[in-house]
Amino acid sequence: MKTTYLKYAFLFGLAVFIAACSVKKDKFINRKMHSVTTEYNILYNGNLALDAGLENLKATFKDDFWETLPIERMPEKEENFLPGETKNASFAKAEEKAVKAIQKHSMNIEGSEKNPQMDEAYLLLAKARYYENRFIPALEALNYILYKYPNSDKIYHAKVWREKVNIRLDNDEVAIQNLKKLLEKQNIEGQDLADANAMLSQAYRNTGSKDSAVATIKIARLETKVKEEKARYSFILGQLYESFEYNDSAFTAFQEVIEMNRKAPRRYVIQAHIKQAQQFDYKNGDTLVFVEKFAKLIEDRENRPFLDILNHQIGVFYDKNNKSKIAENYYNKSNKPLSQDNYLVASNYRNIAEIYFKDAEYKIAGKYYDSTLLRLDNKSREYRKFKKKRENLDDVIKYETIAQVNDSILYVFSMNEVEKIAYYQNFIDKLIIVEDEKVRVNAENVEKDAIIAANSVNSKAAKNSKNPNELKFISSSNDYDYDPPAASNTSTFYFYNPVTVSYGKTEFQSKWGKRALQDNWRLSSDASLDFFNSDSQDISTVTDSIVSKEIEEKYTVEFYISKLPKTQIEIDSIGKDRNFAYYQLGVIYKEKFKEYALAASRLEQLLQNKPEERLILPAKYNLFKIYEIINPSKALSYKEQIITEYPESRYAQIVQNPTIALADNTNPEAVYYTLFKKYEDNLLRETFEEIEQRVEQFIGDASLPKFELLKANLVGRLEGLDGYKKALNYVALNYPDEVEGKQAETILINNIPKLESLDFGKEKATTWKLVFTKNFPFVDNDIKLIEKINKYIKDRNSVLLKTSVDIYTMDKNFIVIHGFLNEEGAKSVLTVLQEYKDYKIKDKAFLISTEDYKTLQVKKALENWLTISKQ
């Protein structure tokens, strides 16, 4: 009987379950069953997946603290993934769960949703898509909530998320307008209120309204209950204050982050310390407190992941206090942890390069500048600045080397024979000490490596031995099998280790050859070498003898004296090269680096060397210009010298009446300055017409290469790549020893191949342009066209669209509308301009991507593009 009851109970329960599974019946049991299943099964697991994705994002996202932080972190777009990187699977899983909840548990009966969890499902769907950078599908899900569930308890949450999506779609003005309306309502509160203000702050920043961004981020910081967000918003507030140079307010904001201590992620606390340190007054601040603070931060084990930035900041501290060696030490320490912050590593190398540059160690500085450029963004202004400085260093290194070497030769040549011998013997003695120290250090390193290897062998043997105390030393070649001294299994004494002994023998023979055991073995004659008595002289033995002979000569005085010049003609040539190098260095430091003290020191050294007459007057004039900036009293002295010693010279006229230098039409420097200014102002046609005349006017003048290089640039802008290449080639071939000739050669080698590789359709389009082709000069219809385009942009309030008049060739211009996000948008605007009654533009236009427009301008290939676009 009981079995029968159980059977009927089971069947009744099964029937109820089957009836409850239906999504077409609006019954209490159906609603409850689907609601509970959705909330506590599918959405629960979906939200867990979303949270896991966000935690992973927080752990892997690398904030750039050199820039103002964004309000929220976002995954990289798929096209920006590095090799081996994949999408976050957690967000895909969250979307899968949301879709499952909607497909299987939605109870849309007679146009009304009966499952109260569906708004949560669509919200989860929108968030998952958002974090996968699929903003349009995310917006569709959010709009569905706002349309279908206006009375949902998540309505404000959905509205905030909709504006987050709008911001990601660059609809900042729309987002600002909607968020402001939302915040006017009194019902929004809690985390939704914090998120709304935070995103409003981001939208204000995107549109350049930083003052409004400050007000809203303050509210977000106060309202959020998430400690990580509170720390992030406080840090961003400090950065915004920094941008306004409100240093006291910024310091206070960063202090709030520091005082959160363990309630804030450690990265924010450390970076807040760094930001405060950047405000330190290096002249009047308490340096002892600064050093003690950072010493504690470095000693704290919790801060080990941040040793790179901490050591960098201490390096900056010592650098500012002119303790360059200590600063360099800390910069190198900063790079040791293999920092993932490329800009930090670049900053370390840059600062070390600047230290060596100031100390006139230009070769070393050049290497550090090279390392700096490898890690800087090659599109940044800083990259271009230091690239130019590095290129200029080539000439500095060249002329500094000439000056130093020739100075040294002339100094030794002026000695008598006894002084020369004493000078070189002293050099040889020091050289021997240095070489011996190298041998000693090398032997120590080899010994350490051998001991480590021996310990490793013994350690492995110990694992396989039943009695470790009976271990024997086993070399890698198994040639030795004996017990080491009883005191230890592995002695540190050099000759107890056969590996180090064998290595030492090989190193000695490769460096010195086979030497007899006798006194003064280093300086022994060739006859004493053992290999001359050997019966077998193979190629390696002969090579050993040559190397040994070269090394031996290096330790004799006669070797160096024989290298000195023999005739007065050679000495005069060396002196002239040295003097010209000093003059070039003075001009380079003055004109290119603005290092006026260095420039003055080189030019004054030149005058002390009694240079040839042609260098004296230009050197004094440059010294006069330098001291006008750094020491006016000295400038007066050089002014008097120029007027007194060279009263008829052009330099004398200029120092007495400086306006001549700019106003005189016959002054090459003034003319070039005027032409270059026109070129910078994009007056290309006017500059090109005049430069032809100036090139003829200044034939034979030292400034002619400048005019030729400027002409080449103009040819490139007006005639295209082929003409540019020919013009550069002319400059490089005709002025190979001039700075301009070298620049032209560098452009031909490095830049021209990149420009030649440009082609239509080669790069993926990012934005589009609408282009009208017009003859030059403009006529009335062309001006009316520009007016109509500007009217359209103003009528539509299209903040993304901009217009410009671009020069194409000497006889053609482009009227360009920039800023279209896709080709369809550009076509629709063109249709409106052509057909709408307020515009009725009849002029023909073509669409082109920004990338192809660059190619079009570089190669002047309009006809080719028009042919391609019609296909």
Side-chain angles (χ1 to χ4, degrees):
M1 194 68 179
K2 183 183 283 188
T3 305
T4 303
Y5 284 137
L6 288 173
K7 180 180 178 181
Y8 284 120
F10 173 75
L11 292 173
F12 178 76
L14 181 61
V16 170
F17 177 78
I18 292 171
C21 285
S22 174
V23 295
K24 300 297 182 181
K25 295 179 180 180
D26 186 12
K27 303 292 184 182
F28 174 81
I29 190 169
N30 298 74
R31 292 196 300 270
K32 279 299 179 182
M33 189 269 188
H34 286 287
S35 174
V36 170
T37 304
T38 304
E39 181 177 4
Y40 293 107
N41 184 3
I42 303 175
L43 291 186
Y44 174 78
N45 289 314
N47 283 310
L48 284 181
L50 183 69
D51 292 341
L54 290 174
E55 287 301 318
N56 178 264
L57 175 59
K58 289 179 182 179
T60 57
F61 187 87
K62 301 297 182 185
D63 276 312
D64 183 4
F65 287 95
W66 302 98
E67 302 289 342
T68 305
L69 297 181
I71 290 296
E72 62 174 354
R73 287 153 290 196
M74 288 292 290
E76 283 284 350
K77 294 182 179 178
E78 197 166 352
E79 58 265 27
N80 296 331
F81 282 177
L82 296 173
E85 287 186 335
T86 56
K87 292 173 64 175
N88 192 325
S90 296
F91 295 131
K93 183 178 179 181
E95 181 178 7
E96 179 186 335
K97 294 295 183 183
V99 171
K100 182 178 179 181
I102 294 167
Q103 288 179 342
K104 292 194 173 185
H105 297 284
S106 176
M107 299 180 66
N108 196 335
I109 300 171
E110 295 180 358
S112 177
E113 179 61 58
K114 303 301 180 181
N115 186 344
Q117 297 301 319
M118 281 303 101
D119 57 345
E120 296 271 10
Y122 278 103
L123 196 56
L124 176 61
L125 179 64
K127 291 180 179 180
R129 289 172 171 177
Y130 177 83
Y131 286 117
E132 286 190 313
N133 291 297
R134 294 163 56 213
F135 303 121
I136 298 298
L139 187 61
E140 290 173 354
L142 291 165
N143 283 334
Y144 189 82
I145 297 172
L146 300 176
Y147 171 69
K148 278 289 190 179
Y149 310 102
N151 298 320
S152 169
D153 60 340
K154 298 291 183 182
I155 195 68
Y156 291 124
H157 194 64
K159 287 183 177 180
V160 172
W161 272 85
R162 181 185 63 183
E163 303 319 317
K164 288 176 72 169
V165 174
N166 273 326
I167 290 170
R168 293 293 170 189
L169 293 171
D170 296 324
N171 296 326
D172 296 294
E173 298 290 348
V174 174
I176 290 171
Q177 185 177 355
N178 291 340
L179 284 169
K180 285 171 72 175
K181 287 181 181 178
L182 184 62
L183 290 170
E184 288 173 0
K185 299 179 180 179
Q186 301 298 318
N187 295 333
I188 185 170
E189 57 186 6
Q191 192 60 39
D192 288 336
L193 178 60
D195 291 345
N197 278 284
M199 296 316 299
L200 184 56
S201 178
Q202 183 68 62
Y204 278 134
R205 280 168 53 187
N206 294 348
T207 56
S209 304
K210 288 186 179 180
D211 50 350
S212 299
V214 168
T216 48
I217 197 69
K218 282 182 178 180
I219 300 172
R221 181 185 58 167
L222 291 173
E223 294 296 334
T224 184
K225 304 303 179 187
V226 182
K227 291 175 182 177
E228 192 272 344
E229 287 185 1
K230 191 178 288 290
R232 188 178 185 87
Y233 296 164
S234 294
F235 192 89
I236 293 172
L237 179 61
Q239 289 182 306
L240 291 172
Y241 280 136
E242 270 189 329
S243 67
F244 289 117
E245 298 184 359
Y246 297 162
N247 291 334
D248 291 341
S249 298
F251 191 94
T252 303
F254 293 131
Q255 187 61 36
E256 289 178 7
V257 178
I258 294 169
E259 288 173 356
M260 289 182 71
N261 199 8
R262 295 185 183 278
K263 294 179 182 179
R266 199 66 187 163
R267 63 182 177 275
Y268 296 130
V269 176
I270 294 300
Q271 292 292 342
H273 281 296
I274 298 301
K275 288 292 186 181
Q276 286 186 339
Q278 290 171 0
Q279 296 183 20
F280 183 73
D281 185 347
Y282 293 98
K283 291 183 178 179
N284 305 314
D286 191 334
T287 56
L288 183 60
V289 171
F290 183 96
V291 172
E292 287 179 350
K293 173 184 175 179
F294 271 83
K296 288 179 180 178
L297 288 172
I298 286 176
E299 289 171 5
D300 190 341
R301 293 173 62 88
E302 194 176 0
N303 297 334
R304 285 186 177 180
F306 311 102
L307 287 178
D308 52 355
I309 187 64
L310 291 171
N311 280 311
H312 170 80
Q313 196 57 47
I314 298 180
V316 172
F317 168 80
Y318 283 113
D319 206 349
K320 295 287 186 181
N321 284 286
N322 298 317
K323 296 181 179 179
S324 56
K325 290 301 177 186
I326 302 175
E328 182 183 353
N329 182 41
Y330 276 104
Y331 290 141
N332 285 323
K333 281 184 179 180
S334 176
N335 283 341
K336 276 186 180 179
L338 300 177
S339 172
Q340 299 300 310
D341 187 341
N342 271 340
Y343 188 77
L344 176 65
V345 176
S347 298
N348 288 323
Y349 284 130
R350 177 200 64 211
N351 293 352
I352 295 174
E354 295 288 274
I355 289 170
Y356 281 107
F357 184 87
K358 290 175 184 175
D359 292 340
E361 297 282 351
Y362 303 106
K363 288 184 180 178
I364 301 175
K367 292 177 182 178
Y368 278 108
Y369 282 129
D370 288 337
S371 298
T372 302
L373 294 173
L374 284 173
R375 289 161 178 83
L376 285 177
D377 178 6
N378 58 12
K379 296 179 182 178
S380 66
R381 182 178 299 176
E382 188 174 12
Y383 177 89
R384 293 193 295 272
K385 172 187 174 184
F386 284 103
K387 188 173 189 298
K388 184 177 180 181
K389 191 168 188 177
R390 176 62 186 89
E391 289 170 351
N392 290 336
L393 263 184
D394 289 336
D395 285 332
V396 171
I397 292 169
K398 170 187 171 182
Y399 290 119
E400 284 288 353
T401 302
I402 292 171
Q404 291 172 9
V405 171
N406 290 11
D407 266 339
S408 178
I409 293 171
L410 294 171
Y411 171 71
V412 176
F413 185 82
S414 66
M415 298 177 179
N416 58 42
E417 289 302 313
V418 175
E419 290 173 334
K420 288 177 184 175
I421 293 171
Y423 176 83
Y424 282 123
Q425 187 59 56
N426 181 50
F427 171 77
I428 291 168
D429 292 341
K430 291 179 180 178
L431 185 61
I432 290 172
I433 292 170
V434 171
E435 291 292 336
D436 285 346
E437 179 64 16
K438 286 181 181 178
V439 171
R440 184 189 68 77
V441 171
N442 188 45
E444 286 182 356
N445 291 335
V446 171
E447 182 181 349
K448 289 176 182 177
D449 292 342
I451 290 169
I452 292 170
N455 285 338
S456 176
V457 170
N458 286 342
S459 175
K460 290 177 182 177
K463 293 178 181 178
N464 302 322
S465 174
K466 296 180 180 178
N467 185 5
N469 294 325
E470 296 178 358
L471 281 176
K472 294 184 177 183
F473 179 85
I474 302 170
S475 78
S476 58
S477 60
N478 294 322
D479 292 336
Y480 302 92
D481 187 7
Y482 65 92
D483 288 324
S488 171
N489 281 345
T490 55
S491 170
T492 59
F493 182 51
Y494 182 90
F495 291 102
Y496 283 165
N497 191 326
V499 177
T500 60
V501 171
S502 176
Y503 184 86
K505 287 180 180 179
T506 304
E507 282 293 294
F508 181 88
Q509 288 181 3
S510 67
K511 187 172 183 62
W512 299 103
K514 299 179 181 179
R515 296 294 174 125
L517 182 60
Q518 62 184 43
D519 293 338
N520 299 320
W521 59 269
R522 191 197 300 271
L523 303 177
S524 60
S525 64
D526 292 350
S528 67
L529 298 180
D530 290 342
F531 60 79
F532 274 117
N533 300 320
S534 175
D535 294 333
S536 59
Q537 291 186 346
D538 56 13
I539 294 175
S540 64
T541 305
V542 174
T543 303
D544 284 347
S545 70
I546 295 170
V547 172
S548 177
K549 184 177 181 181
E550 290 175 353
I551 293 171
E552 185 176 314
E553 286 180 341
K554 192 168 67 172
Y555 296 100
T556 63
V557 172
E558 292 77 12
F559 173 76
Y560 295 100
I561 291 179
S562 67
K563 301 291 184 181
L564 291 173
K566 303 295 189 297
T567 65
Q568 190 61 42
I569 294 175
E570 290 178 284
I571 291 297
D572 291 342
S573 176
I574 290 170
K576 286 181 180 179
D577 290 344
R578 185 267 315 268
N579 292 339
F580 183 71
Y582 272 118
Y583 177 76
Q584 290 283 43
L585 287 168
V587 173
I588 291 170
Y589 288 138
K590 169 178 170 278
E591 298 293 340
K592 295 184 177 179
F593 295 117
K594 312 302 179 186
E595 294 284 347
Y596 298 115
L598 272 172
S601 69
R602 298 301 184 269
L603 292 172
E604 288 183 332
Q605 181 62 48
L606 166 68
L607 295 177
Q608 292 175 13
N609 293 337
K610 298 179 181 179
E612 51 270 39
E613 187 65 30
R614 71 186 182 92
L615 296 178
I616 296 175
L617 180 55
K620 289 187 174 181
Y621 175 74
N622 278 293
L623 282 167
F624 162 72
K625 298 299 290 183
I626 290 167
Y627 283 125
E628 269 193 324
I629 298 169
I630 63 174
N631 192 339
S633 61
K634 271 197 170 185
L636 289 175
S637 171
Y638 280 105
K639 179 179 179 180
E640 290 301 321
Q641 290 181 43
I642 292 169
I643 294 171
T644 304
E645 297 170 12
Y646 306 93
E648 302 300 324
S649 68
R650 177 160 199 80
Y651 291 105
Q653 297 175 37
I654 293 172
V655 297
Q656 292 180 83
N657 185 9
T659 57
I660 293 176
L662 293 177
D664 196 336
N665 198 39
T666 62
N667 178 14
E669 290 184 10
V671 172
Y672 179 80
Y673 174 83
T674 303
L675 283 174
F676 192 78
K677 190 71 174 62
K678 287 182 180 179
Y679 173 77
E680 284 186 322
D681 292 340
N682 212 37
L683 300 173
L684 303 182
R685 295 186 179 97
E686 296 85 337
T687 311
F688 189 77
E689 290 172 356
E690 185 177 350
I691 201 164
E692 293 280 4
Q693 304 170 8
R694 298 304 183 183
V695 167
E696 293 182 9
Q697 179 182 351
F698 297 117
I699 287 177
D701 194 273
S703 63
L704 185 60
K706 287 184 178 180
F707 289 93
E708 292 284 11
L709 185 58
L710 179 58
K711 179 182 174 182
N713 288 328
L714 284 163
V715 168
R717 294 284 298 275
L718 292 169
E719 297 180 9
L721 185 58
D722 291 339
Y724 187 41
K725 189 175 177 180
K726 291 177 183 177
L728 285 172
N729 197 49
Y730 176 84
V731 178
L733 291 175
N734 285 277
Y735 309 101
D737 295 327
E738 301 294 334
V739 173
E740 291 75 19
K742 293 172 186 174
Q743 288 178 357
E745 184 69 25
T746 301
I747 294 169
L748 284 167
I749 294 171
N750 298 332
N751 296 4
I752 293 298
K754 295 177 184 177
L755 296 176
E756 287 178 330
S757 68
L758 294 175
D759 201 1
F760 295 122
K762 191 173 183 180
E763 294 186 42
K764 184 179 179 181
T766 56
T767 56
W768 290 77
K769 302 178 187 296
L770 195 56
V771 183
F772 297 85
T773 305
K774 293 294 175 183
N775 293 326
F776 177 80
F778 279 162
V779 295
D780 290 343
N781 287 339
D782 301 329
I783 296 170
K784 289 178 181 178
L785 171 63
I786 296 172
E787 290 174 351
K788 288 178 180 179
I789 293 171
N790 289 332
K791 183 179 186 303
Y792 168 82
I793 293 173
K794 185 178 180 181
D795 291 346
R796 297 299 190 276
N797 193 25
S798 301
V799 293
L800 294 179
L801 299 185
K802 308 289 180 187
T803 59
S804 68
V805 176
D806 296 352
I807 295 173
Y808 179 61
T809 59
M810 284 292 286
D811 58 355
K812 283 189 185 299
N813 277 344
F814 287 151
I815 299 173
V816 188
I817 308 176
H818 311 262
F820 297 105
L821 298 179
N822 50 58
E823 191 174 5
E824 289 72 22
K827 286 179 179 178
S828 65
V829 169
L830 180 59
T831 302
V832 172
L833 289 173
Q834 290 174 337
E835 298 180 3
Y836 196 69
K837 62 180 181 179
D838 287 349
Y839 313 114
K840 287 292 182 180
I841 289 175
K842 297 180 181 180
D843 303 83
K844 292 184 178 180
F846 62 89
L847 304 177
I848 188 169
S849 69
T850 300
E851 290 70 24
D852 285 345
Y853 184 72
K854 177 183 176 182
T855 303
L856 174 64
Q857 281 285 21
V858 168
K859 295 192 172 182
K860 304 301 178 188
L862 178 59
E863 297 301 324
N864 188 19
W865 165 253
L866 293 175
T867 302
I868 292 171
S869 62
K870 289 177 182 177
Q871 293 176 355

